[in-house]
Amino acid sequence: MTLVYTHENLTLVMNINVALQNAGIKTQIKNQFSAGGRGEIPCFETWPEVWVTSEFQLEQAKKIVASIMSQQQQPDWHCNNCNEDNGAAFDFCWQCDTAKPH
Ligand SMILES: [Zn+2]
């Protein structure tokens, strides 16, 4: 197994995981429930992680992760409905499902 992505924001990690699985890549999430528990500041060791279980799907997985990460480098957008900040890769507010304003 190979670690392909980790981030303190579980939503971003799950977004990567869904994209990989949609491409037919077998993945496993680690530390899914440890980040930010009990009001503590999550440290790097407890960030959720996406692992690719099959070595021969690794190159494809890395390309998908790279393409999503380049989208995430766009500025965050602000939800007008619930005032949540959302990553640029998201077309809908992760909290209230309102569509990204254009
Ligand atoms: Zn919202």
Side-chain angles (χ1 to χ4, degrees):
M1 293 223 302
T2 307
L3 175 66
V4 292
Y5 185 75
T6 184
H7 195 281
E8 62 183 332
N9 186 336
L10 178 62
T11 308
L12 296 180
V13 173
M14 296 310 285
N15 190 41
I16 296 269
N17 185 52
V18 165
L20 292 175
Q21 290 186 340
N22 284 346
I25 294 170
K26 293 193 176 74
T27 60
Q28 198 166 325
I29 299 278
K30 293 188 179 181
N31 302 334
Q32 183 173 358
F33 301 110
S34 57
R38 300 179 189 179
E40 295 167 8
I41 298 169
C43 63
F44 183 78
E45 281 73 23
T46 61
W47 283 12
E49 299 171 339
V50 181
W51 292 71
V52 171
T53 55
S54 171
E55 292 298 321
F56 61 83
Q57 291 182 316
L58 184 59
E59 283 308 309
Q60 188 191 358
K62 282 180 176 173
K63 280 179 194 163
I64 293 169
V65 171
S67 107
I68 293 172
M69 284 174 72
S70 69
Q71 288 178 346
Q72 287 174 353
Q73 282 163 6
Q74 296 166 21
D76 290 352
W77 58 277
H78 191 75
C79 178
N80 294 327
N81 186 48
C82 71
N83 292 323
E84 189 63 49
D85 286 321
N86 294 280
F90 298 100
D91 290 328
F92 293 89
C93 175
W94 68 270
Q95 178 148 290
C96 71
D97 266 352
T98 297
K100 180 180 179 177
H102 292 285

